[in-house]
Amino acid sequence: MELHLDGVGSLQRQIYSALRQRMESGVLAGGSRLPGSRLLARDLGVSRGTVVAAYEQLVAEGYCNARGRAATRVAQTLPRVRAHEGRRLPPAVPHAIRWRAGDDAFLFDLRSGLPNPADFPHAIWARLLRAKLKQHATAAFDYPHPEGLPQLRQAVASHLQQWRGLPCGPDRVLITHGSQQAFSLIARALLPAGLAVAVEDPGYHGFSQAVRAAGVAVRPVAVDDAGIMVDDIRHGDLSAVYVTPAHQFPTGVLMSAPRRRALLDWAENAGSWIIEDDYDSAYRFDAPPLAPLKQYDDTGRVLLVGSFSKTVFPDLRLGYVVAEPATIEVLSLLKNLDDAGSSGLYQAALAAFLDQGHYQRHLRRSLRHLARRRGALIDAVVEHFGDRARLLGAQSGLHIVVDVGLTAVQERELVRTARSHGLGLHALGAFSQSGMLRPGLLLGFGRLEEGSLQRAVALLHRLVLDVQRRDAGGRRET
Amino acid sequence: MELHLDGVGSLQRQIYSALRQRMESGVLAGGSRLPGSRLLARDLGVSRGTVVAAYEQLVAEGYCNARGRAATRVAQTLPRVRAHEGRRLPPAVPHAIRWRAGDDAFLFDLRSGLPNPADFPHAIWARLLRAKLKQHATAAFDYPHPEGLPQLRQAVASHLQQWRGLPCGPDRVLITHGSQQAFSLIARALLPAGLAVAVEDPGYHGFSQAVRAAGVAVRPVAVDDAGIMVDDIRHGDLSAVYVTPAHQFPTGVLMSAPRRRALLDWAENAGSWIIEDDYDSAYRFDAPPLAPLKQYDDTGRVLLVGSFSKTVFPDLRLGYVVAEPATIEVLSLLKNLDDAGSSGLYQAALAAFLDQGHYQRHLRRSLRHLARRRGALIDAVVEHFGDRARLLGAQSGLHIVVDVGLTAVQERELVRTARSHGLGLHALGAFSQSGMLRPGLLLGFGRLEEGSLQRAVALLHRLVLDVQRRDAGGRRET
């Protein structure tokens, strides 16, 4: 059983929640059999006692039945949650989506899709923030504008116009707390509960989970090397499709031009939204960034979502939605009810950072650093793995995907072993939306310097050989 | 017809939205008659053309029918909203809830429930923020903790323990973007859609609207001079009751001790939550702040919501929920899906502000300033209105309520006239949850100095006399 643990609380609680969520969502139907505790413990790499304890809790609460030595089964009728026990427990967020450096101590951490703090012009940022802090003293005593600070809306609109060729005015920009808030607002304000949303498979859990938490179903659609397979989304009642055209997350593929055209046509015919997540398009190495789908949007169906987490820093918690003014108005009404607007100080500093050209200079300089690291990573992969490694999604973004010839199950084992050797990495399987696993390892290069990247790949290579050897040995034994 | 306009966009759009919302929520049933355009225009103080245009839009979109000279009526079947036209348009936020100083230019603005920026120790704050900014450089490149910065959770817990006598550890504290985010998270994570939530009437729209936006119904319960009438909430299936026991918003009454006991008993019997909004309890003048209900909470049913908007500044966008650790965990999972956590810089500065005693010193000093202004305001009211004014809710908080003998309808007229004379104020009627209006004027004293407060009350007195005289004259004419 492929079980995503959310990394919150004890392992027992995580297993309990993940199973309960599957029962409540119907993935585990009434009467179906839970895997043996020994088997699940091995799969998850935890002690059997932990799994047994989680099962016992589910039995005690009426979610499962267990009779003597027979398998634990899902109850035909799940217990009704009492009013004060919570209502729509949001689906657990896999640990994989976002991490904090403090979460684990790694020697080499290839998990991150974030740039290196050392590349950022901290002195300039601190100067702008100090200047704004002075001007801010009185403004701080008002509630912020729910739709965003006017100067920042204007600065984002100008930036998109100049850098992405997007005709855009400030009334088309909503400032959000990163792209995550954009997803949550869009899901609740614009997506009817009765219709589903198509998502890329594999894809970004942060989107699907925000949508599910809003009571909206997601329908995974496979991604090939031209992006989401648009032919597969023609069917069914969908209110929206979520895509990452500039650098598919996590496979890294660029959506091809015919696929883009087909997607826009589909959306127009279906009367559906396209949610375009532009999360790291700024980092394209071989060519200028592709124009966003939004640029070809004649009917206001494309909601472009961007973030400054990867180009400034994530703690900024600022991102944006670009849409028609009427749509922005609906979203900002909901934002006002959600948090009464985002704090103006960071917004004011960011607007100055954009207006004074610091942001653009920072992007150009970062791109040079990142291209160097990316080159070192690819060279190391080629050096160690040679022909056995297939590279994907290396044209842009802050990670590449490498298929080194392991199965998805072996990769899961590799990720676990690597962890105990101080090497942090993710497998594509962790981002499956449908349960279907495809092999591939994500190697983030934004944070490590060349030397570290080379050592990390050398270690990875050794661990991959170990896994293959152990597996071959295991087969011989049985 | 009592119509709250949300202050967003043109007057025509506001009237259109307010009416459409009433139809969609069923307040205006199919077949019911809209008021004549001339009548509504007079009520709202807008031109008749504006109302006619809003009606025409509703007819054009199928929300209403109009035949020749007959009254405009609500359609029996409302048009189905198309997928891409938005789903759950959040109910409009009345202008009244939060204002920005820039919204209108007032000579004397008595609308605010916020303190004066001049009272805040800006230099200390700037110093703390600069210090944190230096330490923050690397931390900024990680995503924040969704449940809040550990230091701030600890600082809030210690503060509540020392100042409110609340036994509280950091695992019982969730840091939110102000109390508004607390309401939105609570509504979606803990309140089942099938049950209603009791709210105070009159009461805070920011709460009811967040709850309604989550698809949960609110049930208004009247407030008398001992707080919410607990006997009236005994009936029906309620998942929660929302109260402001320390200083009822907007009437300002303190919830009596027997009423508190009765409310806690009710919640225990009903198995419901109590959402305790502690929005300005820090400002109590005649006695130390009352202990929160949460202090008497044996069963984890009370969710204490606090905010730093009124004691530090609103642009900080920081508040908190105090609840059992398991409840905090559920809320923080949803917060993670909503915005991936609040930015750490302001949190770090606020934690230092609390830990180093600056917050507590600021509160003590503010209380002295506020007591002086409150005294000046009350003196001026007594001087000008004498026995004809009844004072309510003056023991604490940043506003008082005065009943000067006008009817609720006259008060609405007064608010409009006052606006055109440069005097900003609110009437209690603007905070009605049920449509029932009770007279009373809110006079905020946090921002104005003594001289201004005296002149503002003198102007108010003159305008009240005008309204009474005009009304008496009007009656003679008819």
Side-chain angles (χ1 to χ4, degrees):
Chain A
M1 180 183 289
E2 182 68 10
L3 212 58
H4 294 302
L5 303 187
D6 59 14
V8 178
S10 68
L11 279 168
Q12 180 192 326
R13 196 214 66 86
Q14 293 180 48
I15 296 167
Y16 161 86
S17 303
L19 287 170
R20 181 174 149 180
Q21 186 196 322
R22 292 201 159 205
M23 298 176 208
E24 284 173 340
S25 65
V27 172
L28 275 175
S32 64
R33 206 174 150 283
L34 293 192
S37 54
R38 202 180 304 269
L39 194 76
L40 185 60
R42 206 199 53 202
D43 270 15
L44 294 171
V46 303
S47 82
R48 193 180 159 212
T50 305
V51 174
V52 169
Y55 280 16
E56 280 172 353
Q57 191 183 345
L58 289 166
V59 171
E61 294 184 2
Y63 285 93
C64 295
N65 305 313
R67 288 203 189 73
R69 296 194 155 267
T72 306
R73 285 178 187 279
V74 180
Q76 291 295 351
T77 316
L78 296 183
R80 226 178 77 90
V81 176
R82 285 182 61 192
H84 70 271
E85 275 179 348
R87 167 203 187 195
R88 311 164 189 161
L89 194 73
V93 182
H95 207 57
I97 292 183
R98 304 184 205 96
W99 60 243
R100 285 191 297 272
D103 286 355
D104 296 283
F106 283 110
L107 209 55
F108 307 115
D109 198 344
L110 298 175
R111 294 177 307 164
S112 173
L114 294 171
N116 195 323
D119 298 343
F120 187 73
H122 292 283
I124 292 174
W125 179 256
R127 179 163 54 75
L128 292 176
L129 201 64
R130 282 196 303 267
K132 292 298 161 192
L133 182 61
K134 271 188 202 158
Q135 300 162 15
H136 191 61
T138 306
F141 277 76
D142 282 337
Y143 281 94
H145 298 260
E147 63 280 3
L149 193 73
Q151 301 93 290
L152 182 57
R153 298 175 82 195
Q154 178 63 63
V156 168
S158 304
H159 176 75
L160 290 172
Q161 194 138 11
Q162 285 161 30
W163 277 59
R164 314 284 332 255
L166 198 66
C168 184
D171 57 339
R172 282 164 204 268
V173 176
L174 172 77
I175 304 298
T176 58
H177 280 125
S179 51
Q180 193 61 39
Q181 184 172 48
F183 300 147
S184 173
L185 294 174
I186 288 171
R188 288 178 288 131
L190 303 176
L191 308 179
L195 302 178
V197 175
V199 298
E200 297 169 329
D201 182 29
Y204 183 54
H205 289 298
F207 176 80
S208 348
Q209 294 185 336
V211 164
R212 279 202 215 96
V216 175
V218 300
R219 197 174 302 158
V221 175
V223 167
D224 65 10
D225 44 18
I228 193 167
M229 294 171 74
V230 177
D231 282 348
D232 291 356
I233 51 174
R234 285 196 195 280
H235 313 295
D237 241 15
L238 295 170
S239 64
V241 55
Y242 165 84
V243 285
T244 48
H247 186 236
Q248 202 273 329
F249 186 86
T251 65
V253 302
L254 266 157
M255 191 183 286
S256 71
R259 212 52 84 72
R260 284 161 180 261
R261 191 63 257 162
L263 185 66
L264 286 161
D265 287 347
W266 171 85
E268 181 141 0
N269 289 329
S272 298
W273 299 103
I274 295 176
I275 301 160
E276 177 176 25
D277 182 359
D278 204 37
Y279 71 106
D280 68 356
S281 68
Y283 297 126
R284 182 151 192 235
F285 299 103
D286 305 323
L290 276 183
L293 286 171
K294 180 76 189 158
Q295 197 174 301
Y296 307 101
D297 176 26
D298 305 322
T299 50
R301 273 178 225 296
V302 178
L303 308 168
L304 178 70
V305 175
S307 164
F308 292 100
S309 292
K310 288 166 197 295
T311 52
V312 182
F313 48 81
D315 191 73
L316 191 63
R317 305 309 311 122
L318 290 176
Y320 52 85
V321 183
V322 178
E324 297 306 297
T327 309
I328 295 297
E329 192 181 319
V330 172
L331 293 173
S332 73
L333 281 171
L334 188 55
K335 178 161 164 70
N336 198 16
L337 294 182
D338 266 12
D339 61 19
S342 302
S343 176
L345 178 63
Y346 259 178
Q347 291 191 70
L350 180 60
F353 195 63
L354 284 159
D355 286 341
Q356 298 175 18
H358 300 299
Y359 180 69
Q360 295 75 356
R361 269 189 294 279
H362 168 54
L363 281 185
R364 279 194 218 98
R365 209 169 23 221
S366 294
L367 209 49
R368 284 199 300 274
H369 293 308
L370 291 168
R372 212 182 52 232
R373 290 177 202 141
R374 166 179 165 271
L377 175 61
I378 293 176
D379 287 351
V381 168
V382 170
E383 185 197 327
H384 286 282
F385 290 94
D387 286 349
R388 280 159 306 144
R390 205 164 60 89
L391 249 71
L392 295 164
Q395 296 101 320
S396 68
L398 296 167
H399 73 268
I400 62 170
V401 175
V402 181
D403 180 351
V404 295
L406 297 184
T407 65
V409 173
Q410 286 176 320
E411 284 184 349
R412 204 164 43 188
E413 192 192 328
L414 173 71
V415 168
R416 239 181 343 247
T417 316
R419 188 183 190 116
S420 67
H421 283 80
L423 177 67
L425 75 158
H426 286 312
L428 270 193
F431 305 96
S432 172
Q433 301 287 317
S434 58
M436 294 272 292
L437 299 180
R438 85 164 79 172
L441 297 169
L442 274 74
L443 307 180
F445 55 84
R447 294 219 154 177
L448 296 182
E449 284 303 339
E450 285 112 306
S452 298
L453 286 167
Q454 280 154 3
R455 287 196 292 280
V457 173
L459 175 56
L460 175 67
H461 181 242
R462 189 162 65 75
L463 296 173
V464 167
L465 292 184
D466 280 358
V467 166
Q468 285 171 330
R469 214 172 292 137
R470 242 196 335 269
D471 248 41
R475 264 202 291 280
R476 266 196 299 276
E477 276 167 32
T478 46
Chain B
M1 180 182 290
E2 182 68 9
L3 213 57
H4 294 303
L5 302 187
D6 59 13
V8 177
S10 68
L11 279 169
Q12 181 192 325
R13 196 212 67 85
Q14 294 180 47
I15 297 167
Y16 161 85
S17 304
L19 287 170
R20 182 173 147 181
Q21 188 197 321
R22 293 199 157 205
M23 297 176 206
E24 285 174 340
S25 64
V27 173
L28 275 174
S32 65
R33 208 174 151 283
L34 293 191
S37 55
R38 201 181 306 267
L39 195 74
L40 185 60
R42 205 199 53 202
D43 269 13
L44 294 172
V46 303
S47 82
R48 192 180 161 214
T50 303
V51 175
V52 168
Y55 280 17
E56 280 171 354
Q57 191 183 345
L58 289 166
V59 170
E61 294 185 1
Y63 285 93
C64 294
N65 305 312
R67 287 201 190 76
R69 295 195 156 268
T72 306
R73 283 178 190 279
V74 180
Q76 290 296 352
T77 316
L78 296 183
R80 224 178 79 88
V81 176
R82 285 181 61 191
H84 68 272
E85 274 178 349
R87 168 202 187 193
R88 313 165 188 159
L89 195 72
V93 181
H95 208 57
I97 292 183
R98 303 184 206 95
W99 61 239
R100 285 192 297 274
D103 288 354
D104 296 282
F106 283 109
L107 209 55
F108 306 115
D109 198 344
L110 297 175
R111 294 176 308 163
S112 174
L114 293 172
N116 195 324
D119 298 342
F120 187 72
H122 292 282
I124 292 173
W125 179 256
R127 178 163 54 74
L128 293 175
L129 200 64
R130 282 196 303 266
K132 292 299 163 192
L133 182 60
K134 271 188 203 160
Q135 300 162 14
H136 190 63
T138 306
F141 276 76
D142 282 337
Y143 281 92
H145 297 259
E147 63 281 5
L149 193 73
Q151 302 92 291
L152 183 57
R153 297 175 83 195
Q154 177 62 62
V156 169
S158 304
H159 176 75
L160 290 172
Q161 193 138 10
Q162 285 161 31
W163 277 59
R164 314 285 329 256
L166 198 66
C168 184
D171 57 339
R172 284 166 202 267
V173 177
L174 172 78
I175 304 297
T176 57
H177 281 125
S179 51
Q180 193 62 38
Q181 183 172 47
F183 300 147
S184 173
L185 293 174
I186 288 170
R188 288 178 289 132
L190 303 177
L191 308 180
L195 303 177
V197 175
V199 299
E200 297 169 329
D201 182 28
Y204 183 53
H205 289 299
F207 176 80
S208 346
Q209 294 184 337
V211 164
R212 279 202 214 97
V216 175
V218 300
R219 198 174 302 159
V221 175
V223 166
D224 65 12
D225 44 18
I228 193 167
M229 294 171 75
V230 177
D231 282 348
D232 290 356
I233 51 174
R234 287 198 194 278
H235 314 294
D237 240 14
L238 295 171
S239 64
V241 55
Y242 165 83
V243 285
T244 47
H247 186 235
Q248 202 273 329
F249 185 85
T251 64
V253 302
L254 267 157
M255 191 183 287
S256 72
R259 213 49 88 73
R260 284 162 180 260
R261 190 63 259 164
L263 185 66
L264 285 161
D265 287 346
W266 172 84
E268 181 141 359
N269 290 330
S272 298
W273 298 102
I274 295 176
I275 301 160
E276 177 176 26
D277 183 358
D278 203 38
Y279 71 106
D280 67 358
S281 68
Y283 297 126
R284 183 150 192 236
F285 299 103
D286 305 322
L290 275 183
L293 286 172
K294 179 75 188 157
Q295 197 174 300
Y296 307 100
D297 176 26
D298 304 322
T299 50
R301 273 178 224 295
V302 179
L303 308 168
L304 178 71
V305 175
S307 165
F308 291 101
S309 291
K310 288 168 196 296
T311 51
V312 182
F313 49 80
D315 191 72
L316 190 63
R317 304 309 310 118
L318 290 176
Y320 52 85
V321 182
V322 178
E324 296 306 297
T327 309
I328 295 298
E329 193 182 318
V330 171
L331 294 172
S332 73
L333 281 171
L334 188 56
K335 176 158 165 74
N336 198 15
L337 295 181
D338 265 13
D339 61 18
S342 300
S343 178
L345 178 63
Y346 260 177
Q347 291 191 70
L350 180 60
F353 195 63
L354 284 159
D355 286 340
Q356 298 174 17
H358 301 298
Y359 181 70
Q360 295 76 358
R361 270 189 294 279
H362 168 54
L363 282 185
R364 279 194 220 99
R365 208 168 27 218
S366 293
L367 210 49
R368 284 200 300 275
H369 292 308
L370 291 168
R372 210 182 53 231
R373 289 177 202 142
R374 166 178 164 272
L377 175 61
I378 294 176
D379 287 351
V381 168
V382 170
E383 182 196 331
H384 286 284
F385 290 94
D387 286 348
R388 279 158 308 142
R390 203 165 60 90
L391 248 70
L392 295 164
Q395 296 102 319
S396 68
L398 296 167
H399 72 269
I400 61 171
V401 175
V402 180
D403 180 351
V404 295
L406 296 184
T407 66
V409 174
Q410 285 176 322
E411 284 184 349
R412 204 162 46 186
E413 192 191 329
L414 173 71
V415 167
R416 246 190 329 258
T417 317
R419 189 184 190 114
S420 67
H421 282 81
L423 177 67
L425 76 158
H426 285 313
L428 271 193
F431 304 96
S432 171
Q433 300 287 317
S434 58
M436 294 271 291
L437 298 181
R438 85 164 79 172
L441 297 168
L442 274 74
L443 307 180
F445 55 84
R447 294 220 154 177
L448 296 183
E449 286 301 340
E450 284 112 306
S452 297
L453 286 167
Q454 281 153 3
R455 287 195 294 280
V457 173
L459 174 56
L460 176 68
H461 182 242
R462 189 162 65 73
L463 295 173
V464 167
L465 292 183
D466 280 358
V467 166
Q468 286 171 329
R469 212 171 293 134
R470 241 197 334 270
D471 247 40
R475 266 201 290 281
R476 267 195 299 277
E477 274 168 31
T478 48

